[in-house]
Amino acid sequence: MYMLRQAVEKLKDRKAQILLPSVLLAPIFVLVIYLLFETAKVSMTKVRQQFALDNAAYSQVSSASTYLNAVAMVNGPLPYRVMLYYKDQKINPKQTAAQAGKQPISIFELFYHGGGVPAIGPDYSTGINESPKAESVDWGLHYDPTIPDFPRTDWEKEQPRAVNSDEWVPVMSRSLVNDYYFPALRFGTVVIQNYLETYVRTGAIYEAQTYVYKEVSKNVVMFREAYYLNTNDCKKSDCARQSAAQLRPYVTISTTPFELDKIRFYASDSGLSGEHGGALNLDLPMTEVIKDKLFQFAYLDSSSRSKLRTLGRGIVLKQPFKLPRNHFNINLEQKYKPYVRNTVVLSCPRNNNNCVWPNPLPKYTVTLDP
């Protein structure tokens, strides 16, 4: 009785009144700590998976933007800047009454007015222009619209007309060589050789870029590698299988090279005394001279143009992922089916999302949306 009475008195003490609730709340505090810990694990897993998906998508689609921009550059802007070296090298008109008063013209114009090289706008009378401004979204790269001998209108289409195998294609202006001194022996052969070297190297750049892109886009290898390196819950062979399957059809972008075999140059028929006898044909079959056809530009096939239109609107990628086990043995995956997602966009400043050919513009960019 004494001890019972003493216990009752103790419980009436204010200090003792917090003892019982504290004992009852201790398990709740432990439970809250476990809940916070498990919630943090789930949150960390989702953040890691989201980063992996974003990184993988950006890496894979960036390879496509790099390739398309490279092809757009070799499709005219690059050879144009190289051939523009000849804008300050002039040739004189022949001394006849009909040519009296004519000013010298540049060697560059021989090729530009003959369809040998396109030019960046806006001045298409000479084709000699400054570099476009950084913010420009239309470089206006076109062939001379007034070419009389072999117009390039059929070339400047999304699906250009192929040249017949028996056609000789001029890449210089016959009329200008008729009216101006362009002797082959003095410097004509050197200029022609430099022109051929320019387009041979341009074609080599195109082939190298195409080879690399085919390798990194095969089976979306960059996407799967990037996802694998940023997570630790999947096998390298089949990591991110669902989202990879969603992206795979759209990164198999291919271009077709437009090449020439039978190319016609011109040079002045100059005698020993220096008189001008008109323009002579200098016909060079490329398969004999350089053992291959001469690259001019590359264009997208219809399937790739369709894929780019879809990529311009955005591809939604959705990837389910595994959650770590928890102390409560609750299968959260079965209940909530967790996943991460994003929308990857590959676009250029054109409504049809084709900045490769015609009027190439190397300004493809990649953006990620939630």
Side-chain angles (χ1 to χ4, degrees):
M1 286 293 295
Y2 173 75
M3 293 182 65
L4 181 60
R5 198 165 44 246
Q6 192 175 28
V8 171
E9 291 294 331
K10 200 69 177 174
L11 288 174
K12 288 180 180 180
D13 189 355
R14 289 186 177 182
K15 293 181 180 180
Q17 288 179 359
I18 65 170
L19 180 61
L20 185 59
S22 298
V23 172
L24 294 175
L25 288 174
I28 298 177
F29 287 137
V30 173
L31 181 62
V32 169
I33 292 172
Y34 270 109
L35 284 173
L36 290 173
F37 178 72
E38 295 298 337
T39 302
K41 282 169 58 178
V42 171
S43 180
M44 271 177 32
T45 302
K46 182 170 183 179
V47 168
R48 172 179 285 182
Q49 294 287 335
Q50 185 67 60
F51 176 80
L53 181 65
D54 292 346
N55 185 276
Y58 190 86
S59 298
Q60 185 67 67
V61 180
S62 286
S63 68
S65 71
T66 300
Y67 173 64
L68 294 172
N69 286 334
V71 175
M73 276 299 295
V74 301
N75 273 356
L78 178 58
Y80 169 68
R81 301 310 299 182
V82 174
M83 291 301 296
L84 208 58
Y85 164 78
Y86 289 108
K87 68 182 176 62
D88 297 321
Q89 299 191 27
K90 307 292 185 178
I91 54 176
N92 296 312
K94 63 182 181 181
Q95 303 302 316
T96 62
Q99 299 298 106
K102 282 193 174 183
Q103 297 298 314
I105 64 169
S106 67
I107 292 177
F108 168 80
E109 291 177 75
L110 290 183
F111 289 92
Y112 168 64
H113 292 306
V117 62
I120 289 174
D123 181 8
Y124 297 105
S125 60
T126 64
I128 300 173
N129 296 284
E130 298 295 327
S131 299
K133 295 181 179 179
E135 65 272 14
S136 173
V137 294
D138 186 359
W139 290 5
L141 190 136
H142 298 286
Y143 287 98
D144 182 358
T146 63
I147 299 173
D149 298 334
F150 200 104
R152 297 322 197 233
T153 50
D154 287 339
W155 292 14
E156 293 194 71
K157 296 178 180 178
E158 287 189 333
Q159 194 76 29
R161 181 185 71 84
V163 177
N164 294 332
S165 59
D166 58 344
E167 283 186 287
W168 286 95
V169 181
V171 293
M172 293 176 66
S173 171
R174 181 184 181 88
S175 60
L176 288 179
V177 177
N178 262 328
D179 296 337
Y180 290 81
Y181 287 105
F182 186 65
L185 295 179
R186 192 180 305 171
F187 51 77
T189 53
V190 174
V191 174
I192 290 171
Q193 181 180 347
N194 289 341
Y195 172 84
L196 292 176
E197 287 182 355
T198 296
Y199 273 96
V200 167
R201 293 181 185 276
T202 300
I205 293 172
Y206 165 74
E207 290 177 359
Q209 291 289 334
T210 300
Y211 172 79
V212 170
Y213 181 67
K214 284 182 178 179
E215 290 299 309
V216 299
S217 62
K218 189 184 301 180
N219 199 25
V220 285
V221 62
M222 287 188 71
F223 182 89
R224 292 185 296 105
E225 286 276 354
Y227 205 106
Y228 168 77
L229 293 172
N230 285 287
T231 57
N232 58 1
D233 62 349
C234 62
K235 295 181 180 180
K236 191 174 182 178
S237 59
D238 63 348
C239 204
R241 178 178 295 179
Q242 179 172 318
S243 51
Q246 293 167 330
L247 185 60
R248 183 182 293 112
Y250 300 100
V251 296
T252 53
I253 297 169
S254 61
T255 57
T256 303
F258 188 94
E259 300 169 316
L260 300 177
D261 182 12
K262 296 181 177 180
I263 297 182
R264 176 166 291 166
F265 297 91
Y266 300 103
S268 301
D269 181 14
S270 300
L272 295 176
S273 59
E275 72 275 9
H276 191 302
L280 284 178
N281 292 0
L282 297 178
D283 294 342
L284 299 178
M286 292 295 100
T287 49
E288 295 180 15
V289 176
I290 63 173
K291 309 305 179 185
D292 201 357
K293 292 183 178 181
L294 189 68
F295 176 86
Q296 294 291 291
F297 56 85
Y299 58 94
L300 295 161
D301 58 33
S302 59
S303 173
S304 296
R305 295 197 298 270
S306 176
K307 293 172 185 177
L308 281 176
R309 286 193 292 270
T310 303
L311 280 166
R313 296 189 293 268
I315 304 297
V316 178
L317 304 179
K318 182 178 177 181
Q319 180 61 42
F321 61 92
K322 297 178 181 179
L323 288 172
R325 295 184 62 181
N326 55 71
H327 288 85
F328 307 103
N329 289 324
I330 298 175
N331 191 339
L332 296 175
E333 290 179 41
Q334 184 177 7
K335 187 173 183 179
Y336 295 106
K337 296 179 174 55
Y339 65 89
V340 289
R341 57 168 282 167
N342 65 20
T343 303
V344 60
V345 179
L346 173 64
S347 61
C348 77
R350 297 261 170 83
N351 290 333
N352 62 357
N353 209 25
N354 179 7
C355 289
V356 176
W357 185 263
N359 189 12
L361 180 68
K363 289 200 173 185
Y364 279 96
T365 57
V366 181
T367 56
L368 290 175
D369 297 326

